[in-house]
Amino acid sequence: MVHLKTLAVGLLSLAASTLKAAPMADVSERSDAVCEVMVDGPATTAITPGTAVTGLQLALSSTGAVTLAASGFKTLINYTNGGFGEFSFCNYYWLNIGTSAHSYKPLSWGYNDQETFNWSAGPGQIVTALGTSTYSTTRKFLACNESAGWVLYLQTGNDAPPSTCVETKLQVATNPTV
């Protein structure tokens, strides 16, 4: 009887230590479906009439490039601290301006990484890069036909990449696009 009692206490002790050591679920992980339902927002569209990119939307290409595409982001946009962040799959893709010796500046999507704080935009407004120590305020973008599609650059002067490029402006719609 004593051995049975010792065995029972030992099993209870083992069960308790196993429960304490069990991994906890990461509460920061959320279902993409939940986030997608809650974040419909306006598209950002190229608006220069008579160009090949008119009506195309700001997008993330399969290569990660900032592009214009027939169907782009249609999600909640975050303008916090001069940023321009597109919400997708429970994360923000921040539109960042890179550096270049050329007047056309490369753009990139920062996955939860906001590096550019000088965007001015809002519903119904034209997207503007406010001036910095290296360039003046501009609303001009270059959409260049490259292997990733219509790749976007911020245009701060007059030169352009060697590919076929179209100058355009981007405007945030006023209503969510469904």
Side-chain angles (χ1 to χ4, degrees):
M1 185 74 167
V2 171
H3 292 290
L4 191 55
K5 197 178 209 184
T6 304
L7 178 63
V9 169
L11 287 174
L12 284 173
S13 178
L14 177 63
S17 66
T18 303
L19 288 175
K20 288 179 188 173
M24 298 298 291
D26 183 357
V27 294
S28 67
E29 293 180 17
R30 294 181 176 88
S31 166
D32 294 340
V34 172
C35 292
E36 287 301 305
V37 170
M38 299 179 351
V39 296
D40 286 341
T44 301
T45 307
I47 61 167
T48 308
T51 67
V53 297
T54 301
L56 296 181
Q57 299 172 352
L58 189 60
L60 169 68
S61 78
S62 60
T63 64
V66 178
T67 60
L68 292 175
S71 181
F73 282 110
K74 295 181 182 101
T75 59
L76 181 67
I77 301 172
N78 186 337
Y79 307 105
T80 303
N81 297 322
F84 190 94
E86 292 278 3
F87 193 76
S88 182
F89 296 105
C90 303
N91 297 284
Y92 276 100
Y93 288 87
W94 292 98
L95 186 59
N96 292 316
I97 303 168
T99 57
S100 172
H102 299 285
S103 68
Y104 54 95
K105 307 300 181 198
L107 299 174
S108 64
W109 290 114
Y111 181 76
N112 286 332
D113 183 23
Q114 181 182 0
E115 298 172 1
T116 300
F117 301 91
N118 64 310
W119 291 114
S120 176
Q125 296 179 6
I126 294 175
V127 178
T128 304
L130 301 176
T132 68
S133 61
T134 58
Y135 57 85
S136 299
T137 297
T138 182
R139 295 176 165 193
K140 293 191 272 183
F141 292 84
L142 286 179
C144 299
N145 196 355
E146 299 176 4
S147 60
W150 287 103
V151 176
L152 274 181
Y153 297 87
L154 180 68
Q155 179 57 289
T156 65
N158 296 315
D159 58 336
S163 52
T164 302
C165 298
V166 175
E167 189 174 293
T168 192
K169 293 180 181 177
L170 301 176
Q171 185 172 25
V172 180
T174 55
N175 295 316
T177 318
V178 181

